[in-house]
Amino acid sequence: MMIGRYFKTNKGDYMKQFWAPWRMEYILGDKPDGCFLCDIIADDKDRDNLLLKRGVACAVVMNRYPYNGGHLMVLPFRHVAELGDLTSEEKLEVLNLIDESITVLKKVIYPAGFNVGANLGKVAGAGLEDHLHMHIVPRWDGDTNFMPVLSDTRVVPVALLDLWDLLKPVFE
Ligand SMILES: [Zn+2]
């Protein structure tokens, strides 16, 4: 059973957004042994892995278990856990890629706002503690009025590859 609603894309069509059981599957299911973010960086199948952009030292990846439609993550290539582990160049690139991601999402799926941030530590809702990643979660009026959205599990879109196809060409 899925309950959904649609949001409009820049192609003039509508993508369905679901309230979804599969994030719960992820939360309750077995986790991969290694670091899946390192695996995504090392792999060359960017579409399969929902990787949207490789910068100099950081990347933009779609969250496969999104809190909301267009949920992206910006992360360093290096497997480090803390903001303080980043070099100055990596810190700057993370912020630049967050800015670019927001610009792309605005062009493609017209969010009304964004939540941007990191879950640092399990108690804060981090699913993967060891590889720092910043979340960018688009928000629409009425999607949910419950905060904090970054550790919420309720609103999810389907059609991840369709959305990758829309977002990818808009990233430089
Ligand atoms: Zn890693």
Side-chain angles (χ1 to χ4, degrees), residues 10-11 47 51-53 100 104 107-108 161-172:
N10 65 339
K11 303 280 190 227
R47 186 171 187 267
L51 191 154
L52 285 162
K53 172 156 181 164
E100 182 177 350
V104 169
K107 282 183 188 162
V108 178
L161 286 172
D162 291 346
L163 186 57
W164 188 93
D165 290 340
L166 288 174
L167 294 173
K168 174 67 179 168
V170 188
F171 275 93
E172 292 163 23

Side-chain angles (χ1 to χ4, degrees), residues 35-144:
C35 172
F36 75 89
L37 294 175
C38 284
D39 291 346
I40 287 172
I41 298 300
D43 199 359
D44 60 0
K45 298 182 192 69
D46 286 353
R47 186 171 187 267
D48 290 348
N49 291 323
L50 303 173
L51 191 154
L52 285 162
K53 172 156 181 164
R54 291 173 188 269
V56 177
C58 304
V60 181
V61 180
M62 290 171 61
N63 193 313
R64 197 172 282 281
Y65 305 95
Y67 297 119
N68 211 351
H71 177 173
L72 306 185
M73 301 183 296
V74 173
L75 54 132
F77 294 161
R78 294 192 305 126
H79 185 92
V80 294
E82 306 285 343
L83 285 167
D85 296 330
L86 297 178
T87 65
S88 297
E89 291 76 16
E90 287 168 334
K91 286 175 185 166
L92 183 61
E93 190 174 17
V94 164
L95 207 54
N96 282 333
L97 288 176
I98 289 171
D99 181 29
E100 182 177 350
S101 297
I102 287 171
T103 301
V104 169
L105 289 166
K106 280 181 177 171
K107 282 183 188 162
V108 178
I109 57 174
Y110 314 118
F114 296 88
N115 291 105
V116 176
N119 299 328
L120 300 174
K122 270 204 178 76
V123 70
L128 181 75
E129 286 185 87
D130 311 338
H131 197 139
L132 179 71
H133 51 287
M134 301 290 290
H135 294 275
I136 302 157
V137 181
R139 303 296 304 275
W140 288 266
D141 287 334
D143 56 4
T144 166

Side-chain angles (χ1 to χ4, degrees), residues 1-31:
M1 183 200 68
M2 287 187 247
I3 305 163
R5 70 189 184 97
Y6 289 87
F7 64 91
K8 196 174 186 182
T9 76
N10 65 339
K11 303 280 190 227
D13 56 4
Y14 289 83
M15 298 193 100
K16 191 159 192 188
Q17 194 172 347
F18 292 106
W19 303 81
W22 49 88
R23 185 164 171 84
M24 196 50 70
E25 264 169 47
Y26 168 69
I27 291 164
L28 299 176
D30 291 332
K31 307 297 191 301

